Amino acid sequence: EDQVTQSPEALRLQEGESSSLNCSYTVSGLRGLFWYRQDPGKGPEFLFTLYSAGEEKEKERLKATLTKKESFLHITAPKPEDSATYLCAVQARGQNFVFGPGTRLSVLP
Amino acid sequence: GAVVSQHPSWVICKSGTSVKIECRSLDFQATTMFWYRQFPKQSLMLMATSNEGSKATYEQGVEKDKFLINHASLTLSTLTVTSAHPEDSSFYICSARKGTAGTEAFFGQGTRLTVV
């Protein structure tokens, strides 16, 4: 059974304090790993897609990396507006996305 | 590009009535649409997957007669909650994928349903 876990469950950072969020997965035949950002009361916003181990993608203060067992979302010098829940999802042989529980990030000014 | 619009953003209905939620892909044709339910501080729970012109595939435990999904075109899917009860109150979110399996999906803004 495909599974996705994320850690930590919640993270509080000071503005400018860089950190990483982890997404560990167990799937048969990974077709893609996806990162989303979700603000309270809104639908998730697409951030990145990663397909193969070693792949990296960047967008502003965010960088996503992928290995054969996990993905990291690195946040460099975060700002309060980066506060949100970050969701990781995988897609394996089926067409459905399997979502992790998310990491609630709070960036304090 | 890749905008998904969901309507309404919130709705309050009386117990026993039905509510329809629309999900539209505004600037692309969606090969597959997904419907999720989300409880407070929890992740997304997939309810069903639908392809245009085909019957939806429901996840285990989701009542297909209660949650009617119609995917009539490549840009529109609807979720109808029939005979709604207070326990159906939740945040419902749709997503749409324009490519084949392995490509990203884009989400609507969600619908907050409250059944009183």
Side-chain angles (χ1 to χ4, degrees):
Chain A
E1 183 181 344
D2 301 335
Q3 288 190 336
V4 179
T5 59
Q6 290 186 247
S7 62
E9 181 178 329
L11 179 63
R12 298 182 74 176
L13 300 173
Q14 289 295 134
E15 184 172 2
E17 180 186 0
S18 302
S19 187
S20 295
L21 312 182
N22 175 267
C23 170
S24 296
Y25 61 92
T26 305
V27 298
S28 299
L30 180 71
R31 286 187 166 183
L33 184 140
F34 310 87
W35 281 99
Y36 290 87
R37 167 196 170 126
Q38 186 176 26
D39 293 303
K42 296 186 178 181
E45 174 190 346
F46 170 71
L47 294 175
F48 304 109
T49 304
L50 300 167
Y51 290 109
S52 56
E55 189 175 359
E56 297 183 355
K57 286 193 177 174
E58 286 189 66
K59 179 181 179 181
E60 296 181 351
R61 295 179 292 280
L62 301 177
K63 183 170 80 172
T65 61
L66 181 65
T67 72
K68 289 187 177 180
K69 294 184 178 180
E70 56 191 351
S71 176
F72 291 94
L73 184 65
H74 307 277
I75 302 178
T76 302
K79 297 181 178 181
E81 52 261 43
D82 294 323
S83 298
T85 295
Y86 289 85
L87 298 168
C88 168
V90 297
Q91 193 169 52
R93 292 176 180 169
Q95 63 175 338
N96 298 338
F97 295 83
V98 178
F99 278 85
T103 294
R104 293 193 307 277
L105 174 66
S106 299
V107 182
L108 307 176
Chain B
V3 177
V4 176
S5 177
Q6 190 173 337
H7 178 80
S9 56
W10 61 271
V11 58
I12 301 173
C13 71
K14 291 185 177 181
S15 187
T17 62
S18 296
V19 174
K20 180 185 284 189
I21 302 170
E22 289 190 351
C23 179
R24 293 181 183 272
S25 55
L26 298 185
D27 53 0
F28 66 97
Q29 292 186 327
T31 54
T32 307
M33 286 187 168
F34 306 87
W35 286 95
Y36 297 87
R37 185 172 178 176
Q38 188 174 36
F39 293 102
K41 296 190 177 181
Q42 293 189 24
S43 192
L44 304 171
M45 183 188 79
L46 180 67
M47 299 176 65
T49 303
S50 72
N51 296 295
E52 184 263 341
S54 303
K55 287 185 177 180
T57 301
Y58 290 82
E59 293 299 295
Q60 192 172 11
V62 178
E63 299 176 59
K64 59 181 65 177
D65 293 332
K66 180 168 187 63
F67 298 99
L68 301 179
I69 292 173
N70 183 282
H71 193 162
S73 76
L74 284 172
T75 60
L76 174 64
S77 177
T78 61
L79 166 67
T80 301
V81 183
T82 62
S83 187
H85 292 285
E87 56 265 31
D88 298 324
S89 298
S90 191
F91 191 55
Y92 293 87
I93 316 175
C94 73
S95 71
R97 183 176 63 204
K98 57 181 175 180
T100 57
T103 57
E104 55 271 11
F106 298 90
F107 285 82
Q109 54 267 60
T111 297
R112 171 71 58 192
L113 170 64
T114 302
V115 184
V116 298

